Amino acid sequence: MARPHQPGCEENGGDSSGAYSVDGIPVVDLDVFANGDADRRSEAIRHLGRACADWGFFMVINHGVPESLQGATMDACKELFSLPTEEKAEYMEAGPMDPIRVGTGFNSAVDGARYWRDYLKMFAHPELHCPAKPADLREIAAEYAARTRGLMLELTTILVGNHYPPAGPDVGAIGLPTHSDHGLLTLLFQNGVDGLQVKHGGKWLLAKPIPGSFFVIAGDQLEIVSNGRYKAVLHHALVDGEQARMSFVSLIGPCLDAVVKPIPELAREAPHGAEFRGIRYREYMEHQQSNRLKENAALDIVRVQRGILAHQVSMNSSPINV
């Protein structure tokens, strides 16, 4: 894929490393990492680091996943969402950690509000779990998961198909509320209907993708391992009044039984040491998926509470008068 131009989007900067931005959103050209010389790769790595540190959100182009495969993946999900309810019923009562889930909203047991969203979630690595229908979904999902794992290493992968029906006159309808993702990184592409908004610099920005690109979203586990250097970005999904919006997501995370904690070197460099305690990824995911979405509140269960700790130390070290 050559460096594309998207009508209606402002393109900024650009250099030999392939680093540039569209509407301010950083764009990372993966072809430079594969085929650039040492100087271009070094600059591209610095650009990627700045994108993670300053935004926690960027687009990637020349990633090697064909647009035809993206389209086939979206079509297979659309077919699943149109199946009669009885053909999806066995997956609609699944719990947060079950390998296949089909449902509405986020977690209807705890949502407390109506969200305009249908979803399919499938654990895809280390083993692909997939509904039996539609018949071609398994083959397409397997190829898609293999291609995206080639970008993101052999890590736990959960595939999520999202369908946001038109809201009609319900102005301001929400597909998903403001949240951060539980994994390390999220890859996302959509069907051409905008609705993803990310929070940057205290303001909400509508993310308009370059055709064929992926959005990459930093998640909670990346914030933990980087000891807060790379923040999990807050985002939400809005719903169009007239058109259905669809997105397809790869949630990339550590092995489920891995204990995730700050990298020791980064903790030692930080003024206050480790900002997070270690937690098994499976436990963190279950906590986040079982509770109502509320920004990045799930991180509070691993965030070091320094004020509380300082008070406890003070109390424990206070002299005792007899």
Side-chain angles (χ1 to χ4, degrees):
M1 180 194 298
R3 177 167 154 177
H5 173 70
Q6 184 182 19
C9 289
E10 180 181 354
E11 183 176 312
N12 302 310
D15 55 34
S16 62
S17 71
Y20 67 105
S21 63
V22 173
D23 285 346
I25 298 173
V27 178
V28 175
D29 185 350
L30 293 189
D31 182 65
V32 174
F33 290 86
N35 299 310
D37 59 29
D39 288 341
R40 293 182 71 207
R41 289 198 303 270
S42 294
E43 178 54 36
I45 290 170
R46 287 192 288 272
H47 174 62
L48 176 59
R50 290 191 295 269
C52 290
D54 298 343
W55 280 77
F57 180 78
F58 53 93
M59 279 183 274
V60 293
I61 60 173
N62 294 322
H63 44 68
V65 179
E67 287 189 59
S68 58
L69 179 57
Q70 292 180 327
T73 303
M74 200 72 83
D75 289 343
C77 286
K78 187 185 301 183
E79 187 175 351
L80 177 135
F81 292 129
S82 66
L83 289 174
T85 300
E86 57 269 19
E87 296 190 30
K88 301 175 286 189
E90 65 177 297
Y91 309 115
M92 297 181 73
E93 299 299 324
M97 299 303 292
D98 286 329
I100 304 174
R101 293 175 65 194
V102 174
T104 61
F106 170 67
N107 181 343
S108 57
V110 299
D111 279 344
R114 181 185 180 188
Y115 301 127
W116 291 75
R117 176 205 186 210
D118 305 314
Y119 67 82
L120 161 68
K121 293 186 180 182
M122 306 178 288
F123 277 75
H125 188 74
E127 179 183 358
L128 175 63
H129 299 265
C130 184
K133 294 182 179 181
D136 59 351
L137 178 58
R138 173 174 289 276
E139 181 179 354
I140 293 170
E143 183 181 355
Y144 182 85
R147 292 273 193 160
T148 53
R149 276 203 308 278
L151 300 175
M152 309 301 295
L153 304 177
E154 296 290 322
L155 298 171
T156 297
T157 306
I158 301 172
L159 301 180
V160 183
N162 295 307
H163 173 251
Y164 303 98
D170 194 351
V171 178
I174 296 293
L176 271 179
T178 301
H179 66 285
S180 58
D181 293 335
H182 57 72
L184 284 164
L185 292 169
T186 298
L187 299 181
L188 180 151
F189 71 92
Q190 58 189 40
N191 67 338
V193 179
D194 295 325
L196 174 66
Q197 288 192 325
V198 296
K199 196 170 189 179
H200 176 69
K203 297 180 180 179
W204 286 104
L205 173 70
L206 181 65
K208 293 179 174 290
I210 295 170
S213 67
F214 282 116
F215 286 126
V216 180
I217 304 170
D220 294 347
Q221 304 310 299
L222 185 60
E223 182 163 345
I224 292 171
V225 298
S226 70
N227 202 42
R229 177 176 295 188
Y230 300 141
K231 304 293 187 185
V233 69
L234 293 176
H235 55 287
H236 56 220
L238 302 182
V239 181
D240 191 86
E242 299 178 355
Q243 303 178 81
R245 176 174 178 263
M246 292 187 67
S247 67
F248 197 81
V249 170
S250 298
L251 290 162
I252 312 296
C255 296
L256 288 176
D257 290 318
V259 175
V260 182
K261 57 185 177 181
I263 296 172
E265 292 80 1
L266 296 180
R268 286 195 294 268
E269 293 172 3
H272 302 293
E275 298 290 340
F276 304 95
R277 66 175 181 84
I279 188 170
R280 201 174 303 278
Y281 180 44
R282 181 190 303 274
E283 297 172 6
Y284 186 92
M285 188 196 305
E286 187 167 14
H287 169 76
Q288 195 252 21
Q289 293 286 293
S290 300
N291 289 277
R292 190 177 300 179
L293 281 182
K294 186 179 179 182
E295 300 193 348
N296 58 355
L299 277 170
D300 291 343
I301 67 167
V302 292
R303 202 183 304 275
V304 174
Q305 304 294 326
R306 301 197 182 280
I308 296 174
L309 290 177
H311 177 72
Q312 290 175 339
V313 169
S314 176
M315 292 292 291
N316 292 337
S317 60
S318 297
I320 300 176
N321 297 318
V322 179

